Amino acid sequence: MTPTLPIIGRLNHLAIAVPDLTAATALYRDTLGAKTSAPHALPEHGVTVVFVELPNSKIELLQKLGENSPIAAYLDKNPSGGIHHICFEVDDIAAAAAQLTAHGARVLGDGKAKIGAHGKPVLFLHPKDFCGTLIELEQI
Ligand code: CO
């Protein structure tokens, strides 16, 4: 049995899938008074994202982009939007993946980290293994 070590660190961001990025950005900026970025199209990730800067973390508003968007199925089930995933920071993503796999958690895709929306290695853990929540790990 692998020893249990701390894996996750800070909450890096919480991602919300939205049907209308302009309207969602206006809500966070004008109603909630948050600092929001311009929209960034990330075709390789199938989303357009607006970053909402909070004092202690970030929120990412995600709108689908292109045909095979990874958030399309989620938005079909949740047409008004909803929390899509949460992202925790890790120091060593390969070590985290190995330890999580040893504890029975499933890493999505081929099990290896890929470069994510912030240019850093990320991977996703199966939501059925984590209380129905899609978890992203990002190496900082
Ligand atoms: Co994310």
Side-chain angles (χ1 to χ4, degrees):
M1 190 66 188
T2 318
T4 301
L5 301 166
I7 299 179
I8 61 169
R10 290 180 65 242
L11 176 66
N12 183 275
H13 63 269
L14 186 150
I16 301 178
V18 302
D20 181 337
L21 191 56
T22 304
T25 303
L27 263 181
Y28 273 83
R29 185 189 56 223
D30 304 333
T31 306
L32 291 170
K35 187 174 167 218
T36 56
S37 76
H40 298 272
L42 301 170
E44 69 279 21
H45 293 286
V47 293
T48 303
V49 58
V50 164
F51 301 101
V52 180
E53 294 291 337
L54 303 177
N56 62 345
S57 195
K58 293 188 288 281
I59 292 174
E60 296 181 1
L61 304 173
L62 306 176
Q63 179 177 264
K64 62 185 175 184
L65 175 64
E67 287 306 305
N68 296 308
S69 174
I71 66 170
Y74 183 89
L75 278 168
D76 285 345
K77 278 185 239 156
N78 304 276
S80 56
I83 295 174
H84 183 261
H85 67 265
I86 58 178
C87 177
F88 299 114
E89 297 178 358
V90 296
D91 291 328
D92 181 339
I93 203 161
Q99 187 178 333
L100 286 157
T101 304
H103 281 85
R106 288 168 287 177
V107 176
L108 297 187
D110 64 6
K112 299 207 170 67
K114 299 201 169 39
I115 297 303
H118 309 112
K120 296 185 174 146
V122 302
L123 57 76
F124 287 89
L125 301 170
H126 201 299
K128 289 205 169 125
D129 298 337
F130 291 96
C131 314
T133 305
L134 178 61
I135 292 181
E136 179 180 19
L137 300 180
E138 181 171 306
Q139 181 171 296
I140 297 300

